[in-house]
Amino acid sequence: MSGYNERKTPPMSQTLARPSGRLWPVLIALGGIAALTASSYVAVPMYPVPMTLQTLVVLLLGAVLGPRGGSSAVLAWLALSLMGAPVLAGGSTGPVAFAGPTAGYLLSFPFVAFLAGLLPRNHGIGGHVARLAGFLGLHAVILGAGWAWLAAMIGPKAAFVSGVAPFIVGSLLKSALATAIIAAFPRKVG
């Protein structure tokens, strides 16, 4: 009776093959947009800018997708907001979001995702330390852009007190978390 019920099932890696051609980057970008949108809704309400997980996802998109892929996903997400999709923190949308207190942060995101894609991709301890330092620096870029925009609206001191200082600890934690996530999944990056 050999052969009757001996049909072998292929390994899962063969049954769930990666889509070929141009579909794969589109799927990855859509996943990035979905992750950014979800991270926007995980928010601690603060005034004038809520604390979200957006910067964590922006860093990860750049690190995982590379400079062009990461920044493209972020730009597509921002474009969705401009077209009226409620993808930003608190469901805010449209051109008003790019003129309000969060505009400086939002406008820095594509640039930061691009730079995150240029960070070292090796997975030794030195690579992780360099990546953590890079993520900390990129959070400083985001906070600096947010501060500059807010300073024009409410003054430099008030902008620092309300738009930078409350986010420093979160930036440190999100940089460390992004580094840990990449370290935990070394085959997905680089």
Side-chain angles (χ1 to χ4, degrees), residues 127-138:
H128 295 310
V129 170
R131 197 173 300 109
L132 174 60
F135 287 161
L136 290 169
L138 292 173

Side-chain angles (χ1 to χ4, degrees), residues 18 47 59 62 73 78 129 132 146 156 172 177 186:
R18 179 174 132 171
Y47 181 81
L59 294 175
L78 292 173
V129 170
L132 174 60
L172 295 171
L177 182 57

Side-chain angles (χ1 to χ4, degrees), residues 100-187:
T102 61
Y105 305 96
L106 294 174
L107 295 174
S108 73
F109 286 179
F111 178 68
V112 165
F114 184 88
L115 292 177
L118 298 175
L119 292 175
R121 294 173 94 56
N122 61 327
H123 294 286
I125 189 72
H128 295 310
V129 170
R131 197 173 300 109
L132 174 60
F135 287 161
L136 290 169
L138 292 173
H139 264 113
V141 169
I142 293 168
L143 291 176
W147 172 83
W149 185 270
L150 277 174
M153 295 176 75
I154 61 174
K157 185 175 181 179
F160 183 83
V161 168
S162 63
V164 176
F167 301 101
I168 292 173
V169 171
S171 294
L172 295 171
L173 293 173
K174 288 184 272 186
S175 294
L177 182 57
T179 304
I181 290 170
I182 290 173
F185 300 99
R187 292 187 179 177

